[in-house]
Amino acid sequence: MKKIGVLTSGGDAPGMNAAVRAVVRKAIYHDLKVSGIYGGYAGLIKGNIEELGLGSVGDIIHRGGTILLSARCEEFKKKEGQLKGIEQLKKAGIEGLVVIGGDGSYRGAKALTEHGFPCVGVPGTIDNDICGTQFTIGFDTALKTVIEAIDKIRDTATSHERTFVIEVMGRDAGDIALWAGLAGGAETVLVPEENYDMNEICDRLRKGHERGKKHSIIVVAEGAASGVELGKQIRELTNFDTKVSVLGHMQRGGSPTAFDRVLASRLGARAVELIIEGKGGRAVGIENNQIIDHEIADILGGAHTLDTNLLRLSKELSI
Ligand code: F6P
């Protein structure tokens, strides 16, 4: 093996740059050349490929976003698009590919491997919703952003004695809502993995009010309910002064935390080792602080599960 490639795909996540840096430097450390593919799988199809040196990844470990740019690509879901991608990789002399991203990115990596081109997946998404790893790159930074927002909203909620609904990201997974809700002391956390009862939410608010509690924070994952809708219903059912904050894409930006930088460095470096060892079709992850790897097919076949103990704890502590 003489040259490998690296790309970032899907929703960007803070720490992706640290992972790209690790891939590039680890490859060069092992006397391999490295090319960056710009714009995810869409860029791969177009052949947006450039060789990266040690200096190309200097001064990026602390930066959010991804210097390699990212995209979601419909064309790459089809065999034709995947074969075009392989053609571009071969034209650039690339023999193995590290794919940093979420589930969709893993599906692409699995398909390329099945067509005979070895790929290794690195979990990069703020959602923390990939099987085979306890944490994904970007989750910790997104949590920090959300908690900062909750703390600030709490200040004004207290001053004005208001109820706040804070909508966070997480289309299919409630990890951001759960962890941020627990860390931010939210009274109620709504996640896509569990049904909720509007009357129960309102009863809790009323009981709190009767106890002298003048403000409340409800954290809702976008996949559980629309924050705006929820706020409207709470206002109508309780008559409490209720405001809504939708945090949106700010959760995807910002300088990665130390945890995400270290995680990205470890995972990126291990991915290069797997490519060198000829183990295409694998995805790296972290479990009990050990870097591990699994078949991408197994990861895609499994379902991400929310930590139910944490959900129970969050309920017990917010009585
Ligand atoms: O996959 C990460 C994620 O941030 C989800 O939580 C969110 O629903 C989605 O991306 C938004 O994607 P886009 O930026 O393409 O609208």
Side-chain angles (χ1 to χ4, degrees):
M1 170 126 358
K2 291 203 174 64
K3 195 196 254 185
I4 66 163
V6 54
L7 64 76
T8 50
S9 149
D12 62 350
M16 276 184 165
N17 279 330
V20 171
R21 173 181 178 272
V23 170
V24 171
R25 297 219 166 150
K26 180 79 173 174
I28 294 175
Y29 177 84
H30 287 287
D31 291 324
L32 292 175
K33 289 193 165 163
V34 203
S35 282
I37 290 107
Y38 288 80
Y41 291 124
L44 174 60
I45 290 174
K46 289 188 205 132
N48 294 341
I49 303 175
E50 264 174 44
E51 203 161 304
L52 300 172
L54 288 175
S56 332
V57 290
D59 207 21
I60 65 164
I61 196 165
H62 62 296
R63 289 202 202 148
T66 159
I67 59 157
L68 293 181
L69 314 177
S70 195
R72 302 191 198 272
C73 177
E74 280 304 311
E75 196 184 346
F76 207 76
K77 290 183 182 159
K78 301 196 188 87
K79 189 173 173 189
E80 212 191 338
Q82 295 154 8
L83 295 181
K84 273 192 210 166
I86 293 184
E87 215 178 287
Q88 297 287 8
L89 288 164
K90 287 193 172 154
K91 211 163 93 186
I94 298 168
E95 294 164 273
L97 181 67
V98 176
V99 173
I100 305 164
D103 262 13
S105 317
Y106 277 22
R107 265 187 283 279
K110 176 176 171 274
L112 289 184
T113 307
E114 282 165 1
H115 298 317
F117 196 93
C119 293
V120 171
V122 174
T125 165
I126 64 163
D127 291 348
N128 206 42
D129 62 347
I130 302 184
C131 290
T133 187
Q134 249 171 338
F135 297 108
T136 59
I137 298 165
F139 175 58
D140 188 59
T141 308
L143 279 182
K144 183 171 168 268
T145 302
V146 174
I147 288 158
E148 275 169 18
I150 294 178
D151 290 349
K152 285 177 183 162
I153 288 169
R154 179 181 287 284
D155 288 345
T156 177
T158 317
S159 308
H160 288 267
E161 304 187 339
R162 279 172 168 158
T163 296
F164 264 88
V165 174
I166 304 175
E167 184 191 297
V168 300
M169 274 186 167
R171 211 168 11 208
D172 306 308
D175 288 50
I176 296 180
L178 175 57
W179 285 65
L182 181 57
E187 276 72 22
T188 301
V189 174
L190 303 184
V191 293
E193 292 87 345
E194 196 185 61
N195 292 331
Y196 65 90
D197 177 350
M198 207 53 218
N199 292 324
E200 201 184 302
I201 295 173
C202 292
D203 277 350
R204 278 163 76 90
L205 287 173
R206 286 192 204 95
K207 275 191 196 127
H209 204 73
E210 279 158 21
R211 274 200 345 254
K213 209 168 162 14
K214 296 286 196 289
H215 68 274
S216 290
I217 306 271
I218 297 166
V219 175
V220 55
E222 61 179 336
S226 140
V228 172
E229 259 316 299
L230 199 72
K232 197 168 142 229
Q233 287 178 36
I234 292 175
R235 218 174 289 125
E236 282 167 9
L237 291 167
T238 63
N239 229 0
F240 291 155
D241 187 3
T242 307
K243 299 281 176 184
V244 178
S245 277
V246 178
L247 300 188
H249 284 78
M250 68 179 290
Q251 294 162 90
R252 289 236 295 257
S255 178
T257 58
F259 179 86
D260 274 331
R261 296 182 201 190
V262 173
L263 178 65
S265 301
R266 294 177 75 189
L267 294 177
R270 180 64 190 136
V272 173
E273 283 173 0
L274 286 170
I275 295 259
I276 293 172
E277 289 163 18
K279 294 184 183 150
R282 308 285 293 176
V284 290
I286 187 163
E287 201 72 53
N288 301 325
N289 203 25
Q290 297 302 311
I291 301 300
I292 50 161
D293 57 273
H294 294 283
E295 282 297 311
I296 293 185
D298 293 343
I299 287 172
L300 290 172
H304 165 76
T305 47
L306 194 71
D307 187 337
T308 45
N309 288 330
L310 213 58
L311 188 59
R312 196 175 324 114
L313 180 65
S314 126
K315 285 179 185 163
E316 285 170 2
L317 300 187
S318 59
I319 41 173

